[in-house]
Amino acid sequence: MNTQATSPDLPETYYRDNFHCLVSTVADQYSDLLTAQETLWYNSYLALTEPAQCLYIRLLTRKGPLFRRDKIHYPEIQLLAKAFEELDQVGLISLQHDAISHRDFCQLFTKPELLSTFDFLSGSKQAKKAEIVEQVIQHHPDLTFLSSEILKVHYAEHLSVFCLLFFGNTHQDLSQFVLADIGIQQFEDYPIDTAFRLFQHREHIDNWLALSEKSDIYWQHKEARETQAIAEMQSDLPGAFDWKPLERKRQRLINHIARDLERLGNHDSNRLDQALALFKQSERAPSRERQIRILDKQGETTQALDLAKRVLATPQNEEEADVADVLNHRLLNKLGDKQPPRRKPKFDSEKLKLIQQQPCVELDVAAYYQQQGWQTYYLENALLCGLFGLAMWDIIFSAQQGAFLNPFQRSPKDMFSSDFYLNRKQLIDKRLNEIESGVWDNWLAVYNAKQGLSNDWVHWGVFTEDILIKAVSVIPVLALTAIFKRILFDPKNNRSGFPDLALFKDGQYCLAEVKGPGDTLQNNQIRWLKMFEQHSITAKVVYVEWY
């Protein structure tokens, strides 16, 4: 399959197909959780003629809810006036909206239009629009003569519910709808029905939307640098939720607010206490790291060290493990337990002096090793992530509660969290044992059967059959399973940092990380190189200087 194909010619009303897929998928899965008003809205949409459906979707997905009728032109919608009338009759829009405020009215008109509409603005041609708007508000002119030019779109809140149930979050909407990729991407076939849906109770939906609104308010305060308003949000946070996905979302917001309180604590010790209390309500990283730092700042160094040791023993992810190691070392020194200096790790390395000929240093190094008889591939993360994706393919797309919400996912909803492994532990452990024992050796069969299907781990454009065959023939299965286990510990962070080049020659392999002049190893690269060293996986760092 050619995954690089150009985008197909979409029908003029492709957005209607997208919208219909979204609402019908949700109605099929969640009919028992939708309110009577939401169900009526869905049925009212279905009963519309096609032109009215198209017009409603166009308006509903634009920034509104108020629009000027004379500014609405869609060439693909025939009989536009009749579509307006139909939407008005069923109450999906209001063609006349008398209660519009003067400020909202002014937002719909340009400055020249306002100047020509109201005589009292005749002397304000040099004024800015904001000043003109204030004058209109002060004069409070009668707007009824223009009311027929303005319409209001209703029930955007119902679309928000349907988008949440379709995407599983509130930050995606029809503007990002994945159906735009139809013809370019193909998706795995996995079950989408009520038995495996994410939301199980109506209160899950309502609480999610309410918490999302609080999160939006937080980010508005953050952008406006309203630190006092952020500090006051702590008293309005909901208590812990029993439902794990919602509680994770709550703890994410707690971490944000607590971090801002911690920063305020540099000048107000009470804020530091409040931040610590909030962080203690969260198990989500980096909560424990921040608690350690606050305790240390408050002079509770022994408590801080105890917590650092606990984190070091049971880190939630790679970044938390790294930070805990640094903090543990520092706190031991602070308490008088002198620790040896931390040294930069050293790995097997090679220094090359080359003439710069290629667009990037990795390709110059690849050319050098080709001259030495190696078959070289510039793959970065694609090789080992691709092998992981093939080995776990059926498990990745297995039926799990809340994993797949719509037909257009490249991976389950929990793919990049520790829950992916925990929710499939028995299946994954069995597969790892089968790979190690040689019972499972279906790399090529899976590759051919799933060719072109979207999977967040397999990048078909660069992960070729030739590379697959070479890799699985020379990289020991124990090395592969060790790599897979580390990926599974923290899929989000451990899907990157792999060496740039894969080298093959005479039944040997080597993974080479390339560093040009002045470039240094990143933390995720260091973590992988350490792991390779521990498991005798052949890898090295290639440092390049130019002639």
Side-chain angles (χ1 to χ4, degrees):
M1 175 181 176
N2 180 11
T3 57
Q4 303 302 316
T6 57
S7 179
D9 292 331
L10 296 174
E12 287 185 322
T13 58
Y14 71 92
Y15 54 87
R16 176 176 171 267
D17 298 333
N18 293 352
F19 185 88
H20 189 78
C21 176
L22 186 150
V23 295
S24 61
T25 298
V26 170
D28 288 344
Q29 290 188 77
Y30 290 104
S31 60
D32 58 317
L33 299 190
L34 297 176
T35 65
Q37 293 83 2
E38 290 158 358
T39 301
L40 177 61
W41 174 76
Y42 171 65
N43 290 330
S44 297
Y45 162 77
L46 291 181
L48 296 171
T49 62
E50 182 174 331
Q53 286 182 346
C54 289
L55 178 57
Y56 185 59
I57 297 165
R58 284 292 200 186
L59 297 174
L60 194 63
T61 54
R62 285 174 56 179
K63 185 178 180 180
L66 300 174
F67 298 95
R68 285 171 57 182
R69 184 171 175 175
D70 63 324
K71 293 293 186 180
I72 297 172
H73 303 287
Y74 296 109
E76 80 278 8
I77 301 177
Q78 303 297 316
L79 303 173
L80 191 62
K82 288 191 68 174
F84 275 121
E85 184 179 347
E86 185 178 349
L87 293 177
D88 185 35
Q89 287 175 350
V90 297
L92 293 178
I93 68 171
S94 301
L95 287 178
Q96 294 188 8
H97 189 64
D98 305 277
I100 184 172
S101 73
H102 288 79
R103 186 177 298 278
D104 287 340
F105 176 88
C106 290
Q107 297 307 314
L108 299 174
F109 291 82
T110 65
K111 175 184 169 181
E113 287 173 331
L114 292 174
L115 290 171
S116 64
T117 300
F118 301 112
D119 292 338
F120 59 80
L121 294 175
S122 58
S124 303
K125 292 182 179 180
Q126 303 305 315
K128 295 180 180 178
K129 185 181 177 182
E131 297 169 344
I132 289 175
V133 171
E134 294 305 319
Q135 289 188 54
V136 173
I137 294 171
Q138 291 174 9
H139 278 79
H140 204 77
D142 181 11
L143 300 178
T144 54
F145 73 102
L146 289 167
S147 61
S148 62
E149 293 297 317
I150 298 171
L151 63 89
K152 183 175 184 179
V153 179
H154 299 296
Y155 306 119
E157 68 275 13
H158 295 338
L159 177 58
S160 296
V161 172
F162 275 67
C163 283
L164 169 62
L165 297 177
F166 187 86
F167 292 111
N169 59 63
T170 54
H171 62 262
Q172 286 180 284
D173 56 31
L174 281 167
S175 67
Q176 303 170 315
F177 200 64
V178 73
L179 275 184
D181 289 331
I182 286 298
I184 299 176
Q185 294 190 42
Q186 295 182 6
F187 298 88
E188 182 60 276
D189 184 22
Y190 41 77
I192 301 174
D193 54 44
T194 55
F196 300 105
R197 66 188 184 184
L198 176 62
F199 296 90
Q200 298 298 316
H201 305 285
R202 179 66 202 198
E203 64 177 349
H204 290 167
I205 301 171
D206 295 335
N207 287 335
W208 193 290
L209 291 169
L211 195 57
S212 293
E213 184 177 0
K214 291 185 185 299
S215 182
D216 290 342
I217 291 171
Y218 165 79
W219 287 109
Q220 290 167 14
H221 291 324
K222 183 80 170 175
E223 187 175 351
R225 299 184 179 182
E226 296 168 344
T227 55
Q228 182 59 35
I230 292 174
E232 291 172 358
M233 287 188 70
Q234 62 182 306
S235 61
D236 193 36
L237 289 170
F241 294 105
D242 293 332
W243 188 42
K244 192 174 180 180
L246 192 58
E247 178 57 16
R248 283 199 301 267
K249 182 177 177 65
R250 185 186 80 99
Q251 291 186 15
R252 184 187 299 116
L253 179 57
I254 282 176
N255 282 359
H256 287 315
I257 295 173
R259 186 71 180 99
D260 285 317
L261 285 169
E262 182 185 354
R263 293 186 179 101
L264 292 174
N266 292 328
H267 307 287
D268 184 346
S269 60
N270 290 330
R271 294 301 190 196
L272 213 55
D273 293 335
Q274 293 168 356
L276 182 60
L278 270 185
F279 277 129
K280 286 181 178 179
Q281 295 182 42
S282 172
E283 299 174 356
R284 189 184 183 98
S287 170
R288 294 192 295 179
E289 174 205 338
R290 303 319 310 174
Q291 290 180 57
I292 294 168
R293 294 185 185 278
I294 292 172
L295 287 168
D296 184 33
K297 193 178 293 185
Q298 292 178 325
E300 303 292 345
T301 308
T302 301
Q303 287 187 45
L305 178 59
D306 289 342
L307 181 53
K309 288 180 177 178
R310 292 201 299 274
V311 175
L312 201 55
T314 57
Q316 292 184 9
N317 56 40
E318 298 290 358
E319 292 178 353
E320 191 180 49
D322 282 352
V323 172
D325 185 38
V326 172
L327 291 175
N328 184 71
H329 186 275
R330 194 185 79 190
L331 292 169
L332 283 169
N333 277 328
K334 190 171 183 177
L335 289 171
D337 187 354
K338 193 66 175 176
Q339 299 295 299
R342 298 175 60 84
R343 291 186 172 87
K344 290 184 178 180
K346 292 184 178 180
F347 304 106
D348 186 17
S349 64
E350 183 174 2
K351 293 182 178 180
L352 298 179
K353 198 164 187 177
L354 304 175
I355 297 173
Q356 188 172 8
Q357 296 178 316
Q358 301 291 337
C360 62
V361 63
E362 291 85 359
L363 292 177
D364 276 310
V365 173
Y368 168 82
Y369 282 111
Q370 285 175 344
Q371 294 171 1
Q372 309 305 310
W374 291 87
Q375 291 179 298
T376 64
Y377 300 91
Y378 180 21
L379 298 169
E380 294 184 296
N381 304 310
L383 173 60
L384 295 171
C385 284
L387 292 173
F388 175 83
L390 294 180
M392 300 293 163
W393 191 291
D394 55 329
I395 299 172
I396 289 171
F397 292 102
S398 63
Q400 303 289 334
Q401 195 72 51
F404 295 101
L405 286 74
N406 60 68
F408 312 107
Q409 293 180 223
R410 296 188 298 268
S411 59
K413 187 172 173 61
D414 62 353
M415 182 72 255
F416 299 108
S417 74
S418 57
D419 287 341
F420 174 78
Y421 172 70
L422 296 176
N423 292 336
R424 301 160 183 81
K425 185 177 187 302
Q426 187 173 354
L427 291 171
I428 292 172
D429 288 347
K430 182 173 181 290
R431 177 59 47 80
L432 292 172
N433 289 333
E434 289 173 344
I435 294 172
E436 289 184 356
S437 63
V439 173
W440 193 94
D441 189 24
N442 302 334
W443 307 98
L444 195 56
V446 175
Y447 185 94
N448 290 327
K450 303 302 182 180
Q451 178 71 224
L453 293 181
S454 297
N455 180 327
D456 274 324
W457 294 90
V458 183
H459 301 283
W460 299 109
V462 294
F463 187 51
T464 65
E465 181 177 322
D466 176 57
I467 292 168
L468 168 63
I469 293 171
K470 283 186 172 64
V472 298
S473 66
V474 298
I475 302 177
V477 291
L478 289 177
L480 291 176
T481 55
I483 291 169
F484 296 164
K485 288 174 185 177
R486 187 168 184 276
I487 289 175
L488 288 161
F489 167 65
D490 185 1
K492 181 179 179 181
N493 288 303
N494 287 340
R495 67 190 300 221
S496 63
F498 292 107
D500 299 302
L501 303 180
L503 313 177
F504 302 99
K505 182 173 70 170
D506 300 333
Q508 303 176 67
Y509 76 95
C510 181
L511 305 175
E513 176 62 38
V514 178
K515 291 299 172 188
D519 197 4
T520 58
L521 290 171
Q522 300 173 14
N523 286 340
N524 58 351
Q525 296 168 340
I526 291 172
R527 289 194 293 260
W528 274 118
L529 289 167
K530 283 182 177 179
M531 183 269 177
F532 293 157
E533 201 171 58
Q534 292 166 0
H535 292 271
S536 300
I537 297 170
T538 309
K540 63 181 175 181
V541 185
V542 180
Y543 293 99
V544 177
E545 293 182 3
W546 303 122
Y547 278 111

